[in-house]
Amino acid sequence: HVQLVESGGGSVQAGGSLRLSCTASGYTYSRDCMGWFRQVSGKERELVANIYTGHVTYYTDSVKGRFTISQDNAKATLDLQMHSLKPDDTAIYYCAADFFCINMDRYWSQGTQVTVS
């Protein structure tokens, strides 16, 4: 049974930082794609960043230079370090895993709220 469990969400003032972590159980993802998505109520879920086979990364334009995605295969964790947070970053954040980075939809976490004021 595969589970992706998030931690680290919360509230922060604009300009602040947060670190999200996603721990995977029952799943070995070192050669797959892991990603962070976010969703605002009433809008579609959007890709924030992903990492393929542990080192090929992609960031959506709005977070480039502010967010860093990383994974630790030994600990089975996926992290998203977020700096210089803006109110527009407010959303529910999800981590996801799939074989490839296109149309990721295989496994999802429960989501964690990030609020920037």
Side-chain angles (χ1 to χ4, degrees):
H1 178 64
V2 175
Q3 277 192 310
L4 301 178
V5 179
E6 292 187 63
S7 61
S11 297
V12 66
Q13 290 188 337
S17 300
L18 280 175
R19 187 179 185 90
L20 303 181
S21 291
C22 177
T23 301
S25 60
Y27 183 66
T28 301
Y29 57 78
S30 60
R31 290 179 290 180
D32 291 352
C33 186
M34 300 291 292
W36 288 97
F37 291 74
R38 63 188 180 189
Q39 188 169 24
V40 176
S41 180
K43 295 186 177 181
E44 290 188 359
R45 189 174 298 185
E46 67 165 348
L47 172 66
V48 176
N50 60 34
I51 182 166
Y52 182 63
T53 63
H55 62 280
V56 180
T57 59
Y58 166 85
Y59 297 91
T60 194
D61 287 345
S62 62
V63 307
K64 284 181 181 177
R66 301 188 298 122
F67 291 12
T68 302
I69 189 171
S70 62
Q71 71 180 56
D72 185 328
N73 293 332
K75 297 180 181 179
T77 56
L78 176 74
D79 291 338
L80 184 69
Q81 179 66 57
M82 305 184 290
H83 295 298
S84 302
L85 283 161
K86 305 174 181 180
D88 283 350
D89 296 317
T90 295
I92 298 175
Y93 283 70
Y94 301 87
C95 69
D98 209 326
F99 294 120
F100 301 104
C101 292
I102 297 176
N103 297 325
M104 295 184 68
D105 198 29
R106 189 169 181 219
Y107 300 113
W108 291 93
S109 68
Q110 79 283 3
T112 188
Q113 178 70 46
V114 171
T115 302
V116 185
S117 60

